[in-house]
Amino acid sequence: MARTALVLLLLSPLLLVFVLILQHTGTITGQDRFVEQAVPFSHKHHAGELGIDCRFCHVGVETGAKATVPTTEVCMTCHSQIWTNAQMLAPVRNSLATGTPLVWSRVNRLPDYVYFDHHVHVRNGVPCAACHGDLRQMPLTAQATPMTMQWCLDCHRDPAKRLVPQDRITWSRPYDAPIPDEELQRIHAHLLGVERSRKLTDCSTCHR
């Protein structure tokens, strides 16, 4: 018994290191994982090759707390005219015929105790790609970032370098082109105003 306790005592630092490393891997955070959908939707085709704006399908990301997913009617805006008999679109046609909404599986999921408001981020200069990655290169949608508390805090502690002008919000690679000095000054001035009303690292900002 004493020998076992001694071995466990000696191994405990290694086990702690292992756990600390493991909790930052995709196995725990979900980063890089793909989620199977009823309809194999390709952002690469729709947003990348066809150039469809994110907000066409995700209506309300600029005006509401929650991101919406495409309804059957949004899909059928185009697919009542093109690829009308494609087998992969059978769930969409069935949804329209029966009036049963399409069910999309969430790719990015935060714990219930985390409050996240999409439109606050979007309207304050956080581009889609900051959280969702370069979706225009994804044939199937994967979780692009770890979305851990530490990852969120890293941004909240130094948001200025992650914000972009509003016309870049839906860009695939919003950080590639340099931001003009006058826009940088505007972003910094805006952040000062935000910080006066609510400190971004306060616990109550995300936990309400």
Side-chain angles (χ1 to χ4, degrees):
M1 180 68 75
R3 181 178 296 177
T4 302
L6 180 61
V7 170
L8 289 174
L9 184 63
L10 292 173
L11 288 178
S12 58
L14 292 175
L15 290 172
L16 178 61
V17 170
F18 175 75
V19 170
L20 289 173
I21 292 173
L22 183 64
Q23 71 178 358
H24 292 289
T25 65
T27 303
I28 301 299
T29 67
Q31 186 173 8
D32 298 324
R33 72 185 172 92
F34 291 91
V35 177
E36 189 173 345
Q37 305 286 354
V39 182
F41 182 87
S42 170
H43 277 91
K44 182 176 182 179
H45 174 63
H46 291 81
E49 296 166 2
L50 298 178
I52 298 173
D53 190 287
C54 309
R55 293 161 292 194
F56 181 78
C57 296
H58 300 287
V59 180
V61 293
E62 296 173 300
T63 57
K66 297 184 181 297
T68 57
V69 291
T71 63
T72 304
E73 289 73 22
V74 168
C75 297
M76 292 302 289
T77 301
C78 298
H79 289 299
S80 61
Q81 307 295 321
I82 57 174
W83 296 94
T84 53
N85 295 314
Q87 182 57 39
M88 71 173 62
L89 295 175
V92 182
R93 295 192 297 272
N94 183 61
S95 172
L96 184 68
T98 62
T100 304
L102 285 170
V103 177
W104 298 97
S105 298
R106 292 187 68 89
V107 175
N108 303 284
R109 182 182 295 279
L110 293 174
D112 291 341
Y113 53 80
V114 177
Y115 175 78
F116 181 86
D117 189 317
H118 263 88
H119 91 293
V120 166
H121 288 77
V122 171
R123 292 175 65 177
N124 282 284
V126 181
C128 304
C131 300
H132 300 297
D134 189 355
L135 283 163
R136 289 179 173 87
Q137 297 301 317
M138 294 186 193
L140 294 176
T141 308
Q143 180 181 318
T145 54
M147 296 197 172
T148 59
M149 180 175 173
Q150 183 61 56
W151 179 80
C152 294
L153 280 172
D154 286 344
C155 187
H156 277 215
R157 286 176 179 138
D158 188 15
K161 65 184 179 183
R162 294 172 172 83
L163 304 184
V164 298
Q166 281 296 318
D167 61 358
R168 296 192 192 187
I169 289 295
T170 61
W171 282 20
S172 182
R173 303 177 68 86
Y175 303 114
D176 284 3
I179 298 175
D181 288 341
E182 61 270 19
E183 281 290 344
L184 286 174
Q185 291 172 10
R186 186 194 62 75
I187 288 170
H188 282 281
H190 178 69
L191 277 174
L192 285 174
V194 170
E195 287 280 345
R196 288 192 191 101
S197 62
R198 177 186 289 276
K199 192 167 179 59
L200 295 177
T201 53
D202 282 351
C203 299
S204 61
T205 300
C206 301
H207 303 290
R208 303 182 182 181

